[in-house]
Amino acid sequence: MNKKLAVIIVVVLLLVGGGLVLANGGSKSSGSAKSTADSSSAVATQSVMIKNYMFGPMAIKVKVGQKVTWTNTDAVSHTITADTASSDAPSSMDIAKGETYSFTFNKAGTYTYHCFPHPYMHGTVIVTN
C-alpha cells in the first residue's frame, strides 16, 4: 500500500469516528453512566415502582417531610442505596418481590441512588422546600 492511500484511509477513519462521536452527543457511552435529572424532568410523586430492573419513574420530586415508598415487583430482591450515604438519604436492606421500603426526606436537596446488587439501576429524588 502506498503512503498516499494510507493517509486517505486514516483521514476517512478519523472523519467517520468524529461523526459517530458527534452523533452520540459528543460523549462516550460506558454503559454504566449515571443519568442526571433536573427539576423539569422529575415527576411529582411519592411512589416508585421497581419493575424490569428499573426504577419508575427514574426521577421524582417531593417536598421536605414527605415519605417516598418504593415497591418491588421484580422476582429478585433490590435495594435503595444512596450514592452518597448519610442519615438524610435512603438506605434499605434487600426488598423482596411484593415488599416495600419507605423513607421520609427531611432535608432539601437532590438524592441519587442505585440498587446495590444491580448498580446499573439508578434513580433520583429531588426534595424541595
Side-chain angles (χ1 to χ4, degrees):
M1 176 180 340
N2 66 33
K3 229 179 190 179
K4 187 174 182 180
L5 181 59
V7 169
I8 291 172
I9 291 172
V10 168
V11 168
V12 168
L13 290 174
L14 288 172
L15 289 172
V16 169
L20 290 174
V21 168
L22 289 175
N24 208 10
S27 64
K28 294 180 183 177
S29 174
S30 67
S32 64
K34 293 181 188 178
S35 62
T36 56
D38 61 26
S39 60
S40 64
S41 65
V43 176
T45 184
Q46 292 173 255
S47 299
V48 178
M49 297 299 292
I50 305 169
K51 184 176 181 180
N52 298 324
Y53 292 84
M54 294 179 66
F55 297 112
M58 288 178 63
I60 65 170
K61 186 189 304 185
V62 298
K63 298 272 187 197
V64 168
Q66 288 186 309
K67 178 170 59 173
V68 174
T69 300
W70 289 264
T71 303
N72 184 9
T73 65
D74 280 343
V76 300
S77 293
H78 295 289
T79 68
I80 309 305
T81 305
D83 292 347
T84 304
S86 79
S87 60
D88 299 316
S91 178
S92 76
M93 301 298 285
D94 285 348
I95 307 166
K97 179 179 182 169
E99 291 183 347
T100 63
Y101 168 74
S102 296
F103 183 83
T104 301
F105 289 88
N106 292 313
K107 186 175 177 184
T110 299
Y111 300 86
T112 56
Y113 63 91
H114 62 279
C115 174
F116 185 78
H118 311 105
Y120 50 86
M121 295 173 59
H122 292 278
T124 303
V125 179
I126 299 168
V127 182
T128 60
N129 288 315

